[in-house]
Amino acid sequence: METVPVWLRERRAGVGRPAERSQAEVTTAAIALADREGLAAVSMRRVAAELGTGAASLYRYVDSRDDLLDLMTDAVAAGYRLPPPGGPWLPGLLEVCRQARELMLQHGWLPELVLTRSTLGPHGADLLEHVLAVLAEHPADAGRKLEAFAVMTTLTAALVLHEIGGGSEARSRQGAYLAHVLAAGRHPHLTAALTGAIPTPAPRFEDTVARVLTGLLGG
């Protein structure tokens, strides 16, 4: 199994005609396919078809579908437009999370990859550098700051995944079952918590993230 990250591998030299594509073009085609049809649609064969070539030609640029997924995740991270670090740390981190949420809603396949694959490429390293710069004056040690980065990334992905899957039909089903649970009378604490309130999704995104980060790093 290949252990060298895709960004550090030497590109394979093709036999015969010079390569007609680039790794960036392959990645862009894979992202477009995932945006249209979901992550399951992304395969070497399908991406090659998007580019009008054969699957074998893609192996000049990537060794496997896993490489492709890593490249896709990192390429999307180029979409951050973050202001220079400065001022209080919490608003700075919340701005990162806000933009992460927007990117994940734009690319609905991304939260799954963030939660299931640990990938740090060039753009991801730039994002981590920004977060550490925001926290430069914070008294927490480096380990806690790195933990904060991991937590804010995975929490954002989890909340967006819930948001994407929490459409009106799903909420209606959940509300109907909660009404049944309350009527049965066997869950007094749940009944007390929900009495007089309409079941709603989790608290607003930024409030949730802010509470978690404040608990982790202090006020």
Side-chain angles (χ1 to χ4, degrees), residues 34-118:
D35 286 346
R36 285 199 323 269
E37 302 184 30
L39 196 60
V42 177
S43 67
M44 301 292 272
R45 180 183 62 80
R46 286 294 309 277
V47 174
E50 290 282 305
L51 294 167
T53 187
S57 67
L58 263 61
Y59 289 97
R60 291 187 176 187
Y61 314 103
V62 293
D63 288 350
S64 65
R65 181 177 185 267
D66 286 344
D67 284 351
L68 202 50
L69 298 181
D70 289 345
L71 288 167
M72 290 165 63
T73 300
D74 191 69
V76 171
Y80 285 94
R81 297 292 181 265
L82 297 167
W89 64 269
L90 184 56
L93 295 190
L94 287 178
E95 179 59 27
V96 174
C97 293
R98 274 192 292 268
Q99 294 195 28
R101 175 179 174 272
E102 291 171 3
L103 289 170
M104 291 180 191
L105 289 173
Q106 180 182 350
H107 304 284
W109 47 269
L110 183 58
E112 179 184 342
L113 287 187
V114 170
L115 290 171
T116 59
R117 294 185 64 84
S118 179

